[in-house]
Amino acid sequence: MRILISAGEASGEMYGAQLMEALQCASARVGTAALGCPADSKSRLEFFGVGGQRMRAAGCDTIIDAKDLSVVGITEILAHLPKIWDLFRKLIAEAEKRKPDLAIVIDSPAFNWRVARAMCKRGVPVVYYVAPQFWVWRQGRVRLLRKYVGKTLVIFPFEEQFFRDHGIDATFVGHPLADLPRPAIEREEYSKQHQLDPEKHWITLMPGSRKKEVRMNLPTMIEAASQFGRTYEFVLPVAATLEAGFLKSLIRTQRVTLVPEALPALYHSRAGIIASGTATVEAAIMGTPFIMVYRVSALTYVLGKPRVKVPHFAMVNLIAGKEVVPELVQQNFTAKNVVERLQEILPDGDTRDRMIENLAQVKAGLRGSHRDGLYPAERAAAAVLELHCSKAGHSTS
């Protein structure tokens, strides 16, 4: 069974690696006959497509590196269209050679709905994992899923009903991060590894996983951090799609410690300044109070704002149906505002306790009401194999 898998940014790449590993385990249980493989087959699954280091480690032959697709915003995507189009043609040409049995596209709709369309036209069944957030804006594009995608797997609890109401075969499998355990490393050991002062509170900065958004978000974060002087330690996890040298060029004078992973940094931090995106979910799951911030180009904001159909920007607020964390977006995202809102949640008290309680409720919602004992990636893998076997006329039972 040959699978084209396409994930275009850091979070999607992480989910892709999880799904690949779950598919390998599930395929071993299902057996070669159900997958339509030769009885003496040693390698039941073969992956190729778009990914990064995590997916390569999980066994994906990456035709395109996810870093090359890391753009954000309407105007930014337009500027990169020639490059994206070249990469798309390269991927489809490889698919023509390898003739995949199935395609899995993950998030990144600007690129991946085109991949889905190309595969569908070639008779390849398509699964969309981490569906595009069409409920936020451009709801008319739901028809693209209906036309080109055989199965849509969603990771937020309210998405399943939205897509089903629009005629999409959608299943809520749970958020891939919802069942993550607390990091094993203790605070003392972590502080030694990264030369942090264990006696001080730490604040995690997460400006995004793409260069453009980091350039828009990090300078204001650094300006806010500088107003705390030496009272706090600041840590910045380096996303897989970024390089440490690039971040250092933006940090300059402020002392910020770069670390390799987000979850331990968040878990051991007193608070966070987090750019809108998957990092806000990671902070919620770690139970770390935070301020959500975000900025895009002025033109992107002007073009996009009227189309937004939801009352909140932060995913945790959408899941909760209320403002759990403050949102500082565009002109409201200033160093002064960041400092003021942080000072509300850094000390012990009702404001901090209420946020922590609400984040715990969000985490429970991300798990969903499943009672099957499976992790989200395992449910996603089961749905993928079920689609493949139904198309191939086999049974997974």
Side-chain angles (χ1 to χ4, degrees), residues 16-307:
Q18 290 179 348
L19 179 58
M20 288 169 60
E21 291 165 358
L23 280 167
Q24 295 284 11
C25 292
S27 69
R29 291 194 302 273
V30 169
T32 55
L35 295 177
C37 303
D40 60 350
S41 175
K42 294 182 180 179
S43 178
R44 296 187 179 93
L45 299 181
E46 175 187 322
F47 299 94
F48 74 98
V50 183
Q53 184 177 353
R54 289 188 181 96
M55 285 173 57
R56 281 191 288 273
C60 183
D61 180 8
T62 51
I63 309 305
I64 298 170
D65 196 294
K67 289 181 181 179
D68 294 332
L69 295 177
S70 295
V71 295
V72 62
I74 298 170
T75 57
E76 292 82 0
I77 289 173
L78 289 174
H80 286 80
L81 271 180
K83 175 184 175 182
I84 293 172
W85 181 244
D86 286 344
L87 294 172
F88 170 76
R89 287 187 295 187
K90 180 180 179 182
L91 178 65
I92 300 308
E94 193 65 26
E96 293 276 12
K97 294 178 187 176
R98 302 200 189 194
K99 302 190 183 309
D101 301 293
L102 183 78
I104 302 170
V105 293
I106 304 171
D107 207 356
S108 302
F111 184 82
N112 276 332
W113 81 260
R114 290 175 172 81
V115 176
R117 179 180 63 180
M119 292 300 97
C120 178
K121 288 183 174 180
R122 288 161 175 78
V124 178
V126 178
V127 175
Y128 213 126
Y129 184 37
V130 188
Q133 295 175 356
F134 290 142
W135 38 269
V136 177
W137 68 329
R138 305 178 83 179
Q139 293 188 3
R141 289 222 159 186
V142 169
R143 61 183 172 77
L144 298 174
L145 291 180
R146 199 162 50 237
K147 188 173 183 179
Y148 301 124
V149 175
K151 183 71 178 180
T152 300
L153 305 176
V154 301
I155 63 174
F156 296 110
F158 54 83
E159 291 181 311
E160 183 178 78
Q161 193 60 50
F162 169 82
F163 283 113
R164 288 188 174 185
D165 287 346
H166 286 79
I168 307 297
D169 181 6
T171 300
F172 170 56
V173 295
H175 198 287
L177 302 177
D179 292 309
L180 286 176
R182 56 165 282 184
I185 189 167
E186 296 296 332
R187 182 180 173 85
E188 290 291 329
E189 179 60 28
Y190 191 80
S191 66
K192 288 178 183 177
Q193 280 189 13
H194 301 292
Q195 299 180 324
L196 294 165
D197 185 346
E199 300 302 318
K200 292 181 180 179
H201 287 312
W202 306 340
I203 297 175
T204 294
L205 310 179
M206 298 187 72
S209 62
R210 293 167 285 197
K211 284 188 175 182
K212 179 68 177 182
E213 60 184 351
V214 172
R215 287 194 183 98
M216 300 294 284
N217 296 324
L218 185 55
T220 305
M221 290 182 175
I222 297 300
E223 184 183 351
S226 68
Q227 296 186 29
F228 285 95
R230 295 261 177 190
T231 308
Y232 295 90
E233 293 268 20
F234 292 88
V235 294
L236 197 167
V238 181
T241 48
L242 299 173
E243 296 174 355
F246 166 70
L247 294 170
K248 288 177 181 177
S249 71
L250 296 175
I251 293 169
R252 296 177 183 171
T253 57
Q254 176 67 25
R255 184 179 183 276
V256 176
T257 302
L258 301 184
V259 295
E261 295 180 85
L263 297 182
L266 286 166
Y267 182 76
H268 291 298
S269 286
R270 182 71 175 177
I273 309 172
I274 315 293
S276 178
T278 301
T280 62
V281 177
E282 292 177 321
I285 287 167
M286 291 296 104
T288 305
F290 68 96
I291 311 300
M292 189 227 83
V293 301
Y294 208 65
R295 183 182 290 118
V296 293
S297 72
L299 181 57
T300 292
Y301 188 76
V302 168
L303 292 174
K305 183 65 167 65
R307 303 183 184 185

Side-chain angles (χ1 to χ4, degrees), residues 375-387:
Y375 291 108
E378 292 173 323
R379 291 189 203 102
V384 168
L385 292 181
E386 183 179 355
L387 177 66

Side-chain angles (χ1 to χ4, degrees), residues 305-321:
K305 183 65 167 65
R307 303 183 184 185
V308 174
K309 307 295 183 183
V310 292
H312 303 288
F313 286 95
M315 185 56 67
V316 294
N317 292 342
L318 287 170
I319 295 168

